[in-house]
Amino acid sequence: MAALAPRQLSVSLPTIIPRLCEVQTDTHIQVQESTKQALNKFGSVIKNPEIQELVPELLAALVDPNENTQPALTALLETSFVHYIDSPLALIVPILQRGLIERVTETKKRAAQIMGQMATLADQNILFHVDLPILLPGLKEVLVDPVPEARAIASHALGSMFAKLGEGNFPGLVGELFVTLKSETSAVDRSGAAQGLSEVLAGAGIPRLESLLPDILNNAMSPRAYVREGFITLLVFLPATFGDSFNPLVDGAVVLITLDPNDTDALSNALD
């Protein structure tokens, strides 16, 4: 099939590759070998020249993810892409999905970084309808990783995709991050949500931030300490994320974040 109808097959790779990945752990050796052979043949229909060079590393990661996920992610990060990677995403997405849930922080960071680049490397319709629902849960997990650098990379990736694909393709995401900021969960989770929300709002633009700012400031003076902490952390991230465009809003935010978060009277006066 790979030899007889390569163009038609390349279009079907997003459907075929995940199914092959599911059966490659079959207990029957013959099934495993047949899966490896099929993956190798399917790799031959990839026409993207950059991905074609990486096919051996990508197939190795699909066949043995425990050993080869990180090398494949490294190879992807070290590649300069000049062509869209629409059909080849079928080879990449299972590797990213595995990388985002790895225990090794460095692997998660690399997977998240690649995700941040995908919105500019792939057709946006394909990315959203086929791949984003698969990958977004893993990226959200990295967003609350204990390692600050991992959270920062995941936040930037989320913001990059949000900016390229638009808020309509991320229904409920802003509200979900707000809920985490208000929740009595770990400080790490709230910090990750704050950083992620700052990047997402930067992707949405100043008007979206202005529409939410009253709610942000009100929550920053909440009587609950963990809520104050979450939203003041967000106010700390916002100036760095927005840059100069945040300047018109900076006076009120700076006054607020320099106050003692336990001094609710001072917080109330700052918002008057």
Side-chain angles (χ1 to χ4, degrees):
M1 185 175 178
L4 295 176
R7 179 173 298 181
Q8 292 85 343
L9 180 59
S10 66
V11 174
S12 302
L13 285 180
T15 302
I16 296 171
I17 296 297
R19 299 295 180 267
L20 286 174
C21 291
E22 290 174 5
V23 301
Q24 69 179 354
T25 56
D26 192 276
T27 55
H28 294 81
I29 299 299
Q30 188 175 356
V31 174
Q32 296 178 21
E33 290 301 321
S34 296
T35 301
K36 292 178 184 179
Q37 292 174 16
L39 286 170
N40 280 304
K41 289 182 178 180
F42 291 154
S44 67
V45 308
I46 299 298
K47 299 306 180 185
N48 178 287
E50 294 88 22
I51 294 295
Q52 186 62 51
E53 292 289 325
L54 301 178
V55 164
E57 288 89 347
L58 299 178
L59 292 180
L62 292 173
V63 171
D64 189 354
N66 291 330
E67 293 294 327
N68 298 312
T69 294
Q70 185 159 316
L73 293 174
T74 301
L76 284 166
L77 279 176
E78 293 176 349
T79 300
S80 297
F81 290 95
V82 295
H83 301 87
Y84 270 170
I85 55 172
D86 297 337
S87 294
L89 277 175
L91 294 179
I92 298 172
V93 166
I95 300 170
L96 292 178
Q97 187 179 19
R98 173 61 183 247
L100 291 168
I101 62 172
E102 281 281 350
R103 292 184 178 181
V104 179
T105 299
E106 191 61 35
T107 304
K108 290 187 283 189
K109 285 163 49 180
R110 293 176 190 181
Q113 189 174 346
I114 294 168
M115 274 198 71
Q117 300 171 357
M118 285 177 61
T120 57
L121 294 175
D123 179 272
Q124 294 181 7
N125 289 326
I126 294 176
L127 176 60
F128 172 65
H129 290 293
V130 179
D131 302 313
L132 192 59
I134 297 172
L135 295 173
L136 194 56
L139 186 63
K140 289 178 180 178
E141 287 299 314
V142 185
L143 192 63
V144 294
D145 190 87
V147 179
E149 188 180 0
R151 298 199 299 271
I153 292 173
S155 297
H156 185 69
L158 192 59
S160 295
M161 291 190 297
F162 198 90
K164 293 290 183 182
L165 301 177
E167 186 169 357
N169 286 327
F170 294 85
L173 178 60
V174 171
E176 180 182 337
L177 294 171
F178 257 78
V179 168
T180 302
L181 289 178
K182 296 178 182 180
S183 64
E184 195 171 4
T185 182
S186 72
V188 168
D189 286 5
R190 288 191 295 273
S191 179
Q195 192 164 10
L197 184 56
S198 72
E199 293 280 0
V200 163
L201 292 178
I206 281 290
R208 185 69 169 108
L209 172 60
E210 289 178 331
S211 72
L212 293 172
L213 195 58
D215 195 13
I216 292 171
L217 296 177
N218 282 331
N219 278 287
M221 55 171 284
S222 168
R224 296 187 293 275
Y226 57 87
V227 176
R228 293 198 305 270
E229 174 205 319
F231 282 89
I232 290 176
T233 302
L234 172 61
L235 289 168
V236 171
F237 281 123
L238 286 173
T241 307
F242 274 86
D244 292 342
S245 60
F246 190 76
N247 288 344
L249 307 174
V250 76
D251 289 343
V254 167
V255 169
L256 184 63
I257 65 176
T258 56
L259 296 175
D260 180 356
N262 295 309
D263 190 345
T264 54
D265 289 336
L267 289 168
S268 297
N269 292 333
L271 291 171
D272 290 337

